[in-house]
mmCIF file of all heavy atoms in Angstrom:
data_model
loop_
_atom_site.group_PDB
_atom_site.id
_atom_site.type_symbol
_atom_site.label_atom_id
_atom_site.label_comp_id
_atom_site.label_asym_id
_atom_site.label_seq_id
_atom_site.Cartn_x
_atom_site.Cartn_y
_atom_site.Cartn_z
ATOM 1 N N ALA M 208 -13.576 20.021 32.117
ATOM 2 C CA ALA M 208 -12.375 19.909 32.933
ATOM 3 C C ALA M 208 -12.484 20.747 34.198
ATOM 4 O O ALA M 208 -12.139 20.294 35.301
ATOM 5 C CB ALA M 208 -11.156 20.322 32.116
ATOM 6 N N VAL M 209 -12.966 21.966 34.065
ATOM 7 C CA VAL M 209 -13.124 22.838 35.234
ATOM 8 C C VAL M 209 -14.140 22.244 36.205
ATOM 9 O O VAL M 209 -13.922 22.220 37.430
ATOM 10 C CB VAL M 209 -13.540 24.249 34.789
ATOM 11 C CG1 VAL M 209 -13.968 25.095 35.982
ATOM 12 C CG2 VAL M 209 -12.393 24.917 34.031
ATOM 13 N N GLN M 210 -15.253 21.740 35.669
ATOM 14 C CA GLN M 210 -16.279 21.131 36.516
ATOM 15 C C GLN M 210 -15.732 19.936 37.279
ATOM 16 O O GLN M 210 -16.005 19.762 38.475
ATOM 17 C CB GLN M 210 -17.454 20.702 35.647
ATOM 18 C CG GLN M 210 -18.579 20.001 36.407
ATOM 19 C CD GLN M 210 -19.609 19.397 35.468
ATOM 20 O OE1 GLN M 210 -19.267 18.739 34.480
ATOM 21 N NE2 GLN M 210 -20.878 19.625 35.754
ATOM 22 N N LEU M 211 -14.938 19.122 36.610
ATOM 23 C CA LEU M 211 -14.402 17.923 37.236
ATOM 24 C C LEU M 211 -13.269 18.249 38.197
ATOM 25 O O LEU M 211 -13.129 17.628 39.260
ATOM 26 C CB LEU M 211 -13.906 16.974 36.143
ATOM 27 C CG LEU M 211 -13.490 15.563 36.557
ATOM 28 C CD1 LEU M 211 -14.659 14.807 37.199
ATOM 29 C CD2 LEU M 211 -12.962 14.794 35.354
ATOM 30 N N GLY M 212 -12.446 19.239 37.847
ATOM 31 C CA GLY M 212 -11.269 19.521 38.640
ATOM 32 C C GLY M 212 -11.507 20.345 39.882
ATOM 33 O O GLY M 212 -10.790 20.178 40.886
ATOM 34 N N ALA M 213 -12.498 21.239 39.853
ATOM 35 C CA ALA M 213 -12.687 22.182 40.956
ATOM 36 C C ALA M 213 -12.867 21.526 42.331
ATOM 37 O O ALA M 213 -12.274 21.980 43.310
ATOM 38 C CB ALA M 213 -13.845 23.118 40.646
ATOM 39 N N PRO M 214 -13.662 20.458 42.460
ATOM 40 C CA PRO M 214 -13.875 19.883 43.793
ATOM 41 C C PRO M 214 -12.834 18.843 44.220
ATOM 42 O O PRO M 214 -12.928 18.311 45.336
ATOM 43 C CB PRO M 214 -15.250 19.229 43.664
ATOM 44 C CG PRO M 214 -15.340 18.808 42.239
ATOM 45 C CD PRO M 214 -14.579 19.857 41.468
ATOM 46 N N LEU M 215 -11.860 18.544 43.387
ATOM 47 C CA LEU M 215 -10.919 17.469 43.698
ATOM 48 C C LEU M 215 -9.979 17.844 44.833
ATOM 49 O O LEU M 215 -9.583 18.997 44.982
ATOM 50 C CB LEU M 215 -10.086 17.117 42.463
ATOM 51 C CG LEU M 215 -10.780 16.421 41.306
ATOM 52 C CD1 LEU M 215 -9.778 16.193 40.172
ATOM 53 C CD2 LEU M 215 -11.389 15.090 41.732
ATOM 54 N N ASP M 216 -9.597 16.859 45.600
ATOM 55 C CA ASP M 216 -8.552 17.018 46.603
ATOM 56 C C ASP M 216 -7.221 16.598 45.966
ATOM 57 O O ASP M 216 -6.637 15.573 46.286
ATOM 58 C CB ASP M 216 -8.866 16.157 47.831
ATOM 59 C CG ASP M 216 -7.866 16.371 48.951
ATOM 60 O OD1 ASP M 216 -7.196 17.417 48.945
ATOM 61 O OD2 ASP M 216 -7.756 15.485 49.820
ATOM 62 N N GLY M 217 -6.770 17.404 45.035
ATOM 63 C CA GLY M 217 -5.597 17.092 44.221
ATOM 64 C C GLY M 217 -5.800 17.683 42.844
ATOM 65 O O GLY M 217 -6.835 18.298 42.559
ATOM 66 N N HIS M 218 -4.828 17.493 41.955
ATOM 67 C CA HIS M 218 -4.892 18.101 40.635
ATOM 68 C C HIS M 218 -5.593 17.184 39.631
ATOM 69 O O HIS M 218 -5.624 15.960 39.797
ATOM 70 C CB HIS M 218 -3.480 18.399 40.124
ATOM 71 C CG HIS M 218 -2.702 19.318 41.011
ATOM 72 N ND1 HIS M 218 -3.176 20.548 41.415
ATOM 73 C CD2 HIS M 218 -1.471 19.178 41.583
ATOM 74 C CE1 HIS M 218 -2.271 21.133 42.183
ATOM 75 N NE2 HIS M 218 -1.239 20.324 42.310
ATOM 76 N N LEU M 219 -6.137 17.804 38.573
ATOM 77 C CA LEU M 219 -6.720 17.066 37.456
ATOM 78 C C LEU M 219 -5.754 17.120 36.283
ATOM 79 O O LEU M 219 -5.401 18.206 35.809
ATOM 80 C CB LEU M 219 -8.062 17.672 37.038
ATOM 81 C CG LEU M 219 -8.713 17.034 35.796
ATOM 82 C CD1 LEU M 219 -9.199 15.615 36.120
ATOM 83 C CD2 LEU M 219 -9.863 17.891 35.274
ATOM 84 N N ALA M 220 -5.297 15.973 35.807
ATOM 85 C CA ALA M 220 -4.497 15.902 34.587
ATOM 86 C C ALA M 220 -5.449 15.822 33.397
ATOM 87 O O ALA M 220 -6.367 14.999 33.382
ATOM 88 C CB ALA M 220 -3.581 14.689 34.617
ATOM 89 N N VAL M 221 -5.234 16.681 32.423
ATOM 90 C CA VAL M 221 -6.047 16.730 31.201
ATOM 91 C C VAL M 221 -5.137 16.355 30.043
ATOM 92 O O VAL M 221 -4.195 17.082 29.725
ATOM 93 C CB VAL M 221 -6.652 18.130 30.993
ATOM 94 C CG1 VAL M 221 -7.498 18.155 29.718
ATOM 95 C CG2 VAL M 221 -7.484 18.546 32.202
ATOM 96 N N VAL M 222 -5.401 15.216 29.404
ATOM 97 C CA VAL M 222 -4.525 14.698 28.354
ATOM 98 C C VAL M 222 -5.234 14.855 27.010
ATOM 99 O O VAL M 222 -6.312 14.295 26.800
ATOM 100 C CB VAL M 222 -4.153 13.226 28.606
ATOM 101 C CG1 VAL M 222 -3.140 12.760 27.563
ATOM 102 C CG2 VAL M 222 -3.586 13.050 30.012
ATOM 103 N N THR M 223 -4.603 15.597 26.112
ATOM 104 C CA THR M 223 -5.283 15.928 24.877
ATOM 105 C C THR M 223 -4.269 16.163 23.755
ATOM 106 O O THR M 223 -3.203 15.560 23.744
ATOM 107 C CB THR M 223 -6.249 17.115 25.110
ATOM 108 O OG1 THR M 223 -7.001 17.370 23.922
ATOM 109 C CG2 THR M 223 -5.549 18.368 25.576
ATOM 110 N N HIS M 224 -4.580 17.046 22.819
ATOM 111 C CA HIS M 224 -3.845 17.202 21.564
ATOM 112 C C HIS M 224 -3.388 18.642 21.390
ATOM 113 O O HIS M 224 -3.928 19.561 22.006
ATOM 114 C CB HIS M 224 -4.740 16.779 20.397
ATOM 115 C CG HIS M 224 -5.307 15.405 20.564
ATOM 116 N ND1 HIS M 224 -4.741 14.284 19.990
ATOM 117 C CD2 HIS M 224 -6.377 14.954 21.278
ATOM 118 C CE1 HIS M 224 -5.438 13.212 20.329
ATOM 119 N NE2 HIS M 224 -6.433 13.593 21.110
ATOM 120 N N GLY M 225 -2.406 18.826 20.492
ATOM 121 C CA GLY M 225 -1.788 20.131 20.353
ATOM 122 C C GLY M 225 -2.742 21.253 19.997
ATOM 123 O O GLY M 225 -2.708 22.334 20.606
ATOM 124 N N LEU M 226 -3.608 21.038 19.016
ATOM 125 C CA LEU M 226 -4.518 22.112 18.617
ATOM 126 C C LEU M 226 -5.581 22.369 19.673
ATOM 127 O O LEU M 226 -6.061 23.497 19.815
ATOM 128 C CB LEU M 226 -5.178 21.781 17.282
ATOM 129 C CG LEU M 226 -4.245 21.743 16.071
ATOM 130 C CD1 LEU M 226 -5.049 21.458 14.799
ATOM 131 C CD2 LEU M 226 -3.451 23.026 15.935
ATOM 132 N N VAL M 227 -5.952 21.352 20.428
ATOM 133 C CA VAL M 227 -6.916 21.548 21.519
ATOM 134 C C VAL M 227 -6.309 22.460 22.580
ATOM 135 O O VAL M 227 -6.956 23.408 23.061
ATOM 136 C CB VAL M 227 -7.329 20.197 22.134
ATOM 137 C CG1 VAL M 227 -8.221 20.406 23.357
ATOM 138 C CG2 VAL M 227 -8.045 19.337 21.103
ATOM 139 N N ILE M 228 -5.056 22.206 22.944
ATOM 140 C CA ILE M 228 -4.415 23.040 23.960
ATOM 141 C C ILE M 228 -4.245 24.462 23.438
ATOM 142 O O ILE M 228 -4.457 25.436 24.171
ATOM 143 C CB ILE M 228 -3.061 22.443 24.382
ATOM 144 C CG1 ILE M 228 -3.233 21.013 24.877
ATOM 145 C CG2 ILE M 228 -2.437 23.298 25.488
ATOM 146 C CD1 ILE M 228 -1.930 20.282 25.159
ATOM 147 N N ARG M 229 -3.882 24.593 22.168
ATOM 148 C CA ARG M 229 -3.732 25.929 21.598
ATOM 149 C C ARG M 229 -5.064 26.679 21.605
ATOM 150 O O ARG M 229 -5.108 27.881 21.910
ATOM 151 C CB ARG M 229 -3.180 25.834 20.176
ATOM 152 C CG ARG M 229 -2.689 27.176 19.654
ATOM 153 C CD ARG M 229 -1.750 26.994 18.493
ATOM 154 N NE ARG M 229 -2.451 26.825 17.235
ATOM 155 C CZ ARG M 229 -1.845 26.671 16.067
ATOM 156 N NH1 ARG M 229 -0.524 26.638 15.998
ATOM 157 N NH2 ARG M 229 -2.534 26.531 14.952
ATOM 158 N N ALA M 230 -6.162 25.985 21.308
ATOM 159 C CA ALA M 230 -7.476 26.629 21.351
ATOM 160 C C ALA M 230 -7.848 27.003 22.782
ATOM 161 O O ALA M 230 -8.422 28.078 23.027
ATOM 162 C CB ALA M 230 -8.532 25.705 20.746
ATOM 163 N N MET M 231 -7.544 26.137 23.742
ATOM 164 C CA MET M 231 -7.794 26.485 25.149
ATOM 165 C C MET M 231 -7.016 27.734 25.537
ATOM 166 O O MET M 231 -7.546 28.648 26.179
ATOM 167 C CB MET M 231 -7.397 25.330 26.058
ATOM 168 C CG MET M 231 -8.338 24.153 26.044
ATOM 169 S SD MET M 231 -7.757 22.876 27.207
ATOM 170 C CE MET M 231 -9.077 21.661 27.035
ATOM 171 N N ALA M 232 -5.739 27.780 25.134
ATOM 172 C CA ALA M 232 -4.905 28.929 25.474
ATOM 173 C C ALA M 232 -5.457 30.208 24.860
ATOM 174 O O ALA M 232 -5.447 31.267 25.492
ATOM 175 C CB ALA M 232 -3.472 28.687 25.017
ATOM 176 N N GLY M 233 -5.956 30.115 23.636
ATOM 177 C CA GLY M 233 -6.463 31.293 22.958
ATOM 178 C C GLY M 233 -7.797 31.787 23.474
ATOM 179 O O GLY M 233 -8.092 32.987 23.403
ATOM 180 N N GLN M 234 -8.611 30.888 24.015
ATOM 181 C CA GLN M 234 -9.977 31.252 24.393
ATOM 182 C C GLN M 234 -10.208 31.336 25.896
ATOM 183 O O GLN M 234 -11.057 32.117 26.343
ATOM 184 C CB GLN M 234 -10.961 30.204 23.851
ATOM 185 C CG GLN M 234 -11.021 30.087 22.347
ATOM 186 C CD GLN M 234 -12.007 29.009 21.939
ATOM 187 O OE1 GLN M 234 -13.166 29.276 21.623
ATOM 188 N NE2 GLN M 234 -11.561 27.760 21.977
ATOM 189 N N HIS M 235 -9.504 30.510 26.671
ATOM 190 C CA HIS M 235 -9.925 30.294 28.054
ATOM 191 C C HIS M 235 -8.861 30.560 29.111
ATOM 192 O O HIS M 235 -9.193 30.643 30.293
ATOM 193 C CB HIS M 235 -10.414 28.848 28.217
ATOM 194 C CG HIS M 235 -11.479 28.471 27.247
ATOM 195 N ND1 HIS M 235 -12.766 28.976 27.311
ATOM 196 C CD2 HIS M 235 -11.451 27.657 26.153
ATOM 197 C CE1 HIS M 235 -13.479 28.481 26.320
ATOM 198 N NE2 HIS M 235 -12.708 27.686 25.602
ATOM 199 N N LEU M 236 -7.601 30.667 28.721
ATOM 200 C CA LEU M 236 -6.527 30.802 29.696
ATOM 201 C C LEU M 236 -5.980 32.228 29.695
ATOM 202 O O LEU M 236 -5.950 32.897 28.669
ATOM 203 C CB LEU M 236 -5.389 29.828 29.380
ATOM 204 C CG LEU M 236 -5.773 28.366 29.150
ATOM 205 C CD1 LEU M 236 -4.524 27.518 28.952
ATOM 206 C CD2 LEU M 236 -6.627 27.823 30.290
ATOM 207 N N ARG M 237 -5.534 32.671 30.877
ATOM 208 C CA ARG M 237 -4.869 33.970 30.959
ATOM 209 C C ARG M 237 -3.366 33.725 30.920
ATOM 210 O O ARG M 237 -2.771 33.280 31.892
ATOM 211 C CB ARG M 237 -5.267 34.722 32.229
ATOM 212 C CG ARG M 237 -4.736 36.157 32.219
ATOM 213 C CD ARG M 237 -5.497 37.068 33.139
ATOM 214 N NE ARG M 237 -5.152 36.814 34.536
ATOM 215 C CZ ARG M 237 -5.628 37.529 35.567
ATOM 216 N NH1 ARG M 237 -6.490 38.516 35.326
ATOM 217 N NH2 ARG M 237 -5.273 37.251 36.800
ATOM 218 N N LEU M 238 -2.788 34.030 29.754
ATOM 219 C CA LEU M 238 -1.381 33.756 29.505
ATOM 220 C C LEU M 238 -0.499 34.867 30.064
ATOM 221 O O LEU M 238 -0.941 36.010 30.203
ATOM 222 C CB LEU M 238 -1.133 33.633 28.008
ATOM 223 C CG LEU M 238 -1.843 32.491 27.288
ATOM 224 C CD1 LEU M 238 -1.750 32.689 25.786
ATOM 225 C CD2 LEU M 238 -1.232 31.156 27.680
ATOM 226 N N PRO M 239 0.759 34.555 30.345
ATOM 227 C CA PRO M 239 1.710 35.620 30.676
ATOM 228 C C PRO M 239 1.768 36.636 29.537
ATOM 229 O O PRO M 239 1.667 36.271 28.363
ATOM 230 C CB PRO M 239 3.040 34.870 30.822
ATOM 231 C CG PRO M 239 2.657 33.452 31.123
ATOM 232 C CD PRO M 239 1.369 33.211 30.400
ATOM 233 N N THR M 240 1.949 37.889 29.860
ATOM 234 C CA THR M 240 1.874 38.941 28.842
ATOM 235 C C THR M 240 3.032 38.894 27.859
ATOM 236 O O THR M 240 2.956 39.502 26.783
ATOM 237 C CB THR M 240 1.846 40.327 29.511
ATOM 238 O OG1 THR M 240 2.997 40.466 30.358
ATOM 239 C CG2 THR M 240 0.580 40.486 30.337
ATOM 240 N N ASP M 241 4.099 38.182 28.182
ATOM 241 C CA ASP M 241 5.254 38.141 27.292
ATOM 242 C C ASP M 241 5.222 36.954 26.341
ATOM 243 O O ASP M 241 6.194 36.674 25.648
ATOM 244 C CB ASP M 241 6.560 38.101 28.099
ATOM 245 C CG ASP M 241 6.658 36.866 28.998
ATOM 246 O OD1 ASP M 241 5.621 36.212 29.237
ATOM 247 O OD2 ASP M 241 7.777 36.563 29.460
ATOM 248 N N ARG M 242 4.106 36.221 26.274
ATOM 249 C CA ARG M 242 4.032 35.060 25.400
ATOM 250 C C ARG M 242 3.404 35.426 24.061
ATOM 251 O O ARG M 242 2.544 36.304 23.984
ATOM 252 C CB ARG M 242 3.192 33.942 26.039
ATOM 253 C CG ARG M 242 3.733 33.439 27.335
ATOM 254 C CD ARG M 242 5.144 32.887 27.197
ATOM 255 N NE ARG M 242 5.219 31.777 26.280
ATOM 256 C CZ ARG M 242 6.147 30.832 26.340
ATOM 257 N NH1 ARG M 242 7.064 30.866 27.284
ATOM 258 N NH2 ARG M 242 6.171 29.847 25.458
ATOM 259 N N PRO M 243 3.791 34.737 22.963
ATOM 260 C CA PRO M 243 3.202 35.025 21.655
ATOM 261 C C PRO M 243 1.746 34.567 21.593
ATOM 262 O O PRO M 243 1.306 33.718 22.361
ATOM 263 C CB PRO M 243 4.065 34.204 20.696
ATOM 264 C CG PRO M 243 4.628 33.101 21.549
ATOM 265 C CD PRO M 243 4.828 33.696 22.912
ATOM 266 N N THR M 244 1.012 35.164 20.645
ATOM 267 C CA THR M 244 -0.404 34.814 20.490
ATOM 268 C C THR M 244 -0.558 33.385 19.983
ATOM 269 O O THR M 244 -1.412 32.631 20.460
ATOM 270 C CB THR M 244 -1.079 35.787 19.507
ATOM 271 O OG1 THR M 244 -0.928 37.108 20.000
ATOM 272 C CG2 THR M 244 -2.561 35.461 19.370
ATOM 273 N N VAL M 245 0.240 32.983 18.995
ATOM 274 C CA VAL M 245 0.179 31.635 18.443
ATOM 275 C C VAL M 245 1.231 30.793 19.160
ATOM 276 O O VAL M 245 2.414 31.128 19.159
ATOM 277 C CB VAL M 245 0.431 31.638 16.931
ATOM 278 C CG1 VAL M 245 0.427 30.208 16.394
ATOM 279 C CG2 VAL M 245 -0.639 32.463 16.236
ATOM 280 N N LEU M 246 0.797 29.715 19.780
ATOM 281 C CA LEU M 246 1.669 28.915 20.620
ATOM 282 C C LEU M 246 1.902 27.541 20.025
ATOM 283 O O LEU M 246 1.033 26.981 19.359
ATOM 284 C CB LEU M 246 1.050 28.764 22.009
ATOM 285 C CG LEU M 246 0.792 30.061 22.781
ATOM 286 C CD1 LEU M 246 -0.027 29.768 24.020
ATOM 287 C CD2 LEU M 246 2.099 30.717 23.162
ATOM 288 N N ARG M 247 3.066 26.996 20.298
ATOM 289 C CA ARG M 247 3.381 25.618 19.970
ATOM 290 C C ARG M 247 3.395 24.815 21.267
ATOM 291 O O ARG M 247 3.914 25.288 22.284
ATOM 292 C CB ARG M 247 4.757 25.534 19.301
ATOM 293 C CG ARG M 247 5.207 24.102 19.056
ATOM 294 C CD ARG M 247 6.669 24.022 18.645
ATOM 295 N NE ARG M 247 7.086 22.626 18.623
ATOM 296 C CZ ARG M 247 7.057 21.855 17.558
ATOM 297 N NH1 ARG M 247 6.618 22.334 16.414
ATOM 298 N NH2 ARG M 247 7.442 20.600 17.617
ATOM 299 N N PHE M 248 2.856 23.597 21.228
ATOM 300 C CA PHE M 248 2.880 22.711 22.386
ATOM 301 C C PHE M 248 3.531 21.403 21.964
ATOM 302 O O PHE M 248 3.041 20.704 21.089
ATOM 303 C CB PHE M 248 1.461 22.494 22.927
ATOM 304 C CG PHE M 248 0.886 23.744 23.514
ATOM 305 C CD1 PHE M 248 0.128 24.612 22.751
ATOM 306 C CD2 PHE M 248 1.132 24.073 24.834
ATOM 307 C CE1 PHE M 248 -0.382 25.787 23.281
ATOM 308 C CE2 PHE M 248 0.638 25.240 25.382
ATOM 309 C CZ PHE M 248 -0.124 26.101 24.605
ATOM 310 N N ASP M 249 4.647 21.091 22.590
ATOM 311 C CA ASP M 249 5.418 19.908 22.230
ATOM 312 C C ASP M 249 4.794 18.644 22.816
ATOM 313 O O ASP M 249 3.977 18.702 23.750
ATOM 314 C CB ASP M 249 6.849 20.059 22.730
ATOM 315 C CG ASP M 249 7.613 21.121 21.955
ATOM 316 O OD1 ASP M 249 7.564 21.083 20.713
ATOM 317 O OD2 ASP M 249 8.243 21.983 22.595
ATOM 318 N N ASN M 250 5.220 17.505 22.296
ATOM 319 C CA ASN M 250 4.705 16.225 22.789
ATOM 320 C C ASN M 250 5.018 16.063 24.274
ATOM 321 O O ASN M 250 6.156 16.245 24.702
ATOM 322 C CB ASN M 250 5.305 15.066 22.001
ATOM 323 C CG ASN M 250 4.785 15.021 20.582
ATOM 324 O OD1 ASN M 250 5.529 15.267 19.643
ATOM 325 N ND2 ASN M 250 3.522 14.707 20.400
ATOM 326 N N THR M 251 4.010 15.698 25.033
ATOM 327 C CA THR M 251 3.985 15.540 26.495
ATOM 328 C C THR M 251 4.376 16.807 27.238
ATOM 329 O O THR M 251 4.730 16.761 28.416
ATOM 330 C CB THR M 251 4.801 14.342 27.020
ATOM 331 O OG1 THR M 251 6.205 14.559 26.829
ATOM 332 C CG2 THR M 251 4.355 13.047 26.380
ATOM 333 N N SER M 252 4.288 17.966 26.595
ATOM 334 C CA SER M 252 4.546 19.205 27.334
ATOM 335 C C SER M 252 3.476 19.383 28.403
ATOM 336 O O SER M 252 2.325 18.962 28.254
ATOM 337 C CB SER M 252 4.557 20.414 26.405
ATOM 338 O OG SER M 252 3.267 20.705 25.909
ATOM 339 N N LEU M 253 3.877 20.017 29.501
ATOM 340 C CA LEU M 253 2.999 20.250 30.648
ATOM 341 C C LEU M 253 2.688 21.733 30.747
ATOM 342 O O LEU M 253 3.600 22.571 30.766
ATOM 343 C CB LEU M 253 3.676 19.771 31.930
ATOM 344 C CG LEU M 253 2.955 20.087 33.247
ATOM 345 C CD1 LEU M 253 1.586 19.410 33.305
ATOM 346 C CD2 LEU M 253 3.828 19.667 34.436
#
């Protein structure tokens, strides 16, 4: 996703699943400090 999105002239939409997003959040994203470690992601949440 990073490889594909970095050179774009616009945003990259990444459409996936709840546990995938939770794993991304846990491993690769810098979350706000006031958020819980275990996250829930609702259907079509952005």
Side-chain angles (χ1 to χ4, degrees):
V209 169
Q210 178 189 46
L211 189 60
L215 290 179
D216 185 20
H218 301 307
L219 176 70
V221 180
V222 185
T223 185
H224 306 263
L226 293 182
V227 174
I228 304 173
R229 194 161 83 179
M231 286 181 178
Q234 297 179 97
H235 306 290
L236 310 184
R237 188 158 75 176
L238 297 167
T240 56
D241 61 344
R242 299 301 299 206
T244 302
V245 177
L246 300 170
R247 174 191 172 93
F248 293 92
D249 290 311
N250 290 112
T251 68
S252 70
L253 173 62

